[in-house]
């Protein structure tokens, strides 16, 4: 498939509304009727919702229950004008954020000294933690050429943080079970190491890194240790309570100095919030920004943004109250049960090999067939799986949206059909399969530039 054909395929995916009457390049002279706007939005968004409502999208929508969504929407409508940048006008925003931090701290076995912030998502929480450790290392240890150590399964946000903040990312290897290798981490510590990172669990395979071993190394060497629990931090504590085998991964381990954890994933809050926690106030001070020299007056902000949508922390707070511990436990039970069904189906297919062991992610590859073409055949049947790289693979992250009757069985039958189709025509490459294929074989820098051109095209 050449580039032009590839772009045509992408056009279908990313720009399906270009020819619609309600497509604008300029602000219309006269305002459009509210009902017309709402009708158009309802039309396109309800069509887009079909996929996840059928339980066919990996991750992405973590709760999906209509009543829960409507409740969150009414909370957001109530707080739509709140801006946490003005805590004097909206002290309720401070209250919501403080209480989220406190509830999450307790869930993660933290004490009264733990401090934290609400951010816009996992990536911002990670960016802030990395920036915090860079600044702390500069002030406390005079480090001018900072390095941070993370396993190759850590989220891309760590590489992004390194690019943004001028830090050298030191990537460590994985063991055979796809978990971080503590020995490799230990070997790569230098006098410039500002922090160590591990995941509980990682995005690609859903595997929990050996957090307690790494915690011991970090404590021994006196190096900050960030646990990225963005994806599963809101699920693991409840999974453990209902009897799943979940190792310690939080503030119960003395070497863990910070944790990122997303309310907008298994916390079941609407998109747009995450929490970053630090073991004490001495660390978080390096995250905050304050200036008293600005002509605009005294200014401070705890996180990256200035003005922030106060509706989102309000909805995250309300979501945690609505769920309660019992709701989270029940959610975890259903998700773990569904995951175990799907894992068994995948395990029973000779053409596929599971990658790593996880409570809620099913990652797999194929030693016989093009795994990206299998993913593409699943897309043709309405499924949205996540492609993985190095090694090639795909994953399906199970959420409450997949715990409805019949979803695992449909996944099983569609996956079997997809395998058959690829077996019949093993050379075929359609949709995004060739893009993944190319990414696996071309030099990384060239592919990165190509991807940036595609991003530029997407937004133009
Ligand atoms: C382990 C992990 N960390 C961080 C992130 C980034 O989260 P966000 O997409 O909210 O920025 C993700 C997202 O899937 C994740 O799985």
């Amino acid at each position: 498939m050449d580039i032009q054909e590839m772009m045509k395929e992408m056009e279908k995916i990313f720009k399906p509304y270009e020819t619609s009457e309600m497509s604008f390049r300029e602000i219309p002279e006269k305002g459009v009727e509210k009902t017309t706007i709402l009708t158009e939005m309802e039309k396109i968004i309800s069509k887009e919702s079909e996929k996840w409502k059928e339980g066919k999208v990996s991750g992405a929508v973590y709760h999906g229950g209509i009543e829960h969504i409507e409740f969150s929407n009414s909370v957001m409508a109530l707080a739509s004008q709140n801006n946490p940048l003005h805590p004097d006008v909206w002290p309720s925003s401070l209250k919501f954020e403080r209480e989220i931090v406190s509830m999450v701290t307790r869930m993660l076995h933290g004490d009264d000294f733990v401090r934290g912030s609400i951010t816009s998502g996992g990536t911002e929480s990670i960016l802030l933690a990395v920036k915090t450790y860079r600044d702390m290392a500069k002030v406390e240890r005079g480090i001018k050429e900072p390095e941070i150590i993370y396993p190759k399964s850590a989220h891309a946000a760590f590489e992004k943080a390194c690019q943004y903040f001028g830090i050298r990312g030191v990537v460590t290897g994985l063991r055979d079970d796809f978990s971080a290798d503590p020995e490799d981490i230990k070997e790569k510590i230098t006098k410039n190491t500002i922090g160590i990172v591990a995941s509980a669990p990682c995005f690609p395979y859903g595997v929990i890194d050996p957090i307690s071993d790494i915690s011991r190394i970090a404590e021994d060497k006196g190096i900050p240790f960030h646990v990225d629990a963005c994806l599963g931090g809101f699920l693991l504590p409840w999974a453990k309570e209902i009897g799943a085998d979940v190792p310690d991964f939080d503030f119960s381990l003395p070497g863990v100095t910070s944790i990122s954890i997303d309310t907008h994933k298994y916390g079941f809050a609407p998109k747009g919030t995450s929490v970053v926690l630090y073991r004490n106030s001495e660390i978080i001070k390096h995250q905050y920004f304050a200036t008293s020299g600005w002509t605009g007056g005294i200014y401070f902000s705890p996180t990256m943004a200035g003005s922030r949508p106060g509706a989102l922390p309000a909805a995250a707070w309300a979501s945690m109250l609505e769920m309660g511990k019992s709701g989270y436990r029940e959610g975890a039970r259903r998700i773990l049960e569904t995951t175990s069904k799907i894992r068994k189906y995948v395990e029973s297919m000779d053409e596929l090999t599971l990658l790593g062991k996880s409570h809620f992610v099913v990652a797999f590859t194929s030693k016989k067939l093009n795994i990206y073409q299998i993913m593409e055949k699943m897309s043709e049947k309405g499924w949205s799986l996540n492609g993985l790289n190095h090694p090639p693979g795909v994953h399906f992250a199970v959420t409450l949206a997949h715990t409805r009757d019949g979803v695992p069985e449909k996944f099983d039958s569609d996956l079997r059909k997809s395998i058959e189709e690829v077996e019949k025509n093993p050379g075929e490459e359609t949709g995004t399969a060739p893009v993944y294929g190319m990414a696996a074989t071309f030099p990384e820098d060239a592919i990165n530039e190509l991807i940036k051109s595609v991003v530029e095209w997407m937004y133009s």
Side-chain angles (χ1 to χ4, degrees), residues 62 121-124 126 155 199 201-203 228 230-231 262 264-265:
Y62 288 81
T123 299
E124 191 187 342
I126 288 168
H155 194 269
S199 317
C202 68
F203 171 82
D228 178 21
C230 281
L231 181 59
D262 289 359
H264 73 186
K265 293 193 174 83

Side-chain angles (χ1 to χ4, degrees), residues 208-386:
I208 304 173
D209 288 331
I211 306 294
S212 62
D213 294 344
I214 302 169
S215 162
R216 263 193 298 278
I217 295 170
E219 214 189 353
D220 263 11
K221 304 271 182 188
I223 294 172
F225 176 28
H226 181 83
V227 173
D228 178 21
C230 281
L231 181 59
F234 251 96
L235 192 64
L236 296 181
W238 314 111
K240 188 169 189 156
E241 278 197 14
I242 59 169
D245 181 17
V246 176
D248 292 341
F249 69 95
D250 57 20
F251 287 120
S252 55
L253 300 169
V256 173
T257 51
S258 57
I259 301 178
S260 46
I261 169 164
D262 289 359
T263 25
H264 73 186
K265 293 193 174 83
Y266 292 99
F268 304 131
K271 273 287 170 273
T273 59
S274 164
V275 183
V276 58
L277 298 174
Y278 301 92
R279 196 170 269 285
N280 58 52
S281 58
E282 290 310 305
I283 311 178
I284 203 172
K285 276 185 196 155
H286 296 281
Q287 177 188 292
Y288 293 157
F289 173 78
T291 177
S292 51
W294 182 37
T295 48
I298 289 178
Y299 184 97
F300 61 90
S301 63
T303 57
M304 297 260 175
S307 288
R308 286 186 290 132
L312 296 177
W317 178 84
S319 193
M320 289 170 76
L321 298 192
E322 183 209 357
M323 292 302 298
K325 291 180 179 172
S326 58
Y328 283 121
R329 259 182 234 118
E330 174 57 13
R333 188 192 63 71
R334 285 166 52 195
I335 290 167
L336 263 62
E337 198 177 278
T338 304
T339 308
S340 131
K341 260 191 195 170
I342 297 181
R343 287 185 73 83
K344 279 194 187 121
Y345 289 139
V346 172
E347 213 166 8
S348 71
M349 298 179 202
D350 289 341
E351 301 80 0
L352 304 180
T353 310
L354 283 167
L355 300 172
K357 211 169 144 201
S358 166
H359 296 96
F360 59 91
V361 171
V362 186
F364 53 95
T365 188
S366 176
K367 293 184 180 141
K368 301 176 179 162
L369 301 166
N370 178 347
I371 190 67
Y372 300 130
Q373 189 60 17
I374 294 177
M375 175 170 82
E376 190 50 34
K377 291 290 170 195
M378 286 294 272
S379 301
E380 287 172 15
K381 294 168 191 49
W383 295 88
S384 177
L385 272 55
N386 299 95

Side-chain angles (χ1 to χ4, degrees), residues 26 56 94 100 133 145-146 165 179 195-196 253 344 346 435:
E26 240 182 77
K56 287 187 159 177
L94 273 181
I100 294 170
Y133 289 140
E145 290 178 19
F165 304 131
S179 68
I196 299 171
L253 300 169
K344 279 194 187 121
V346 172
V435 184

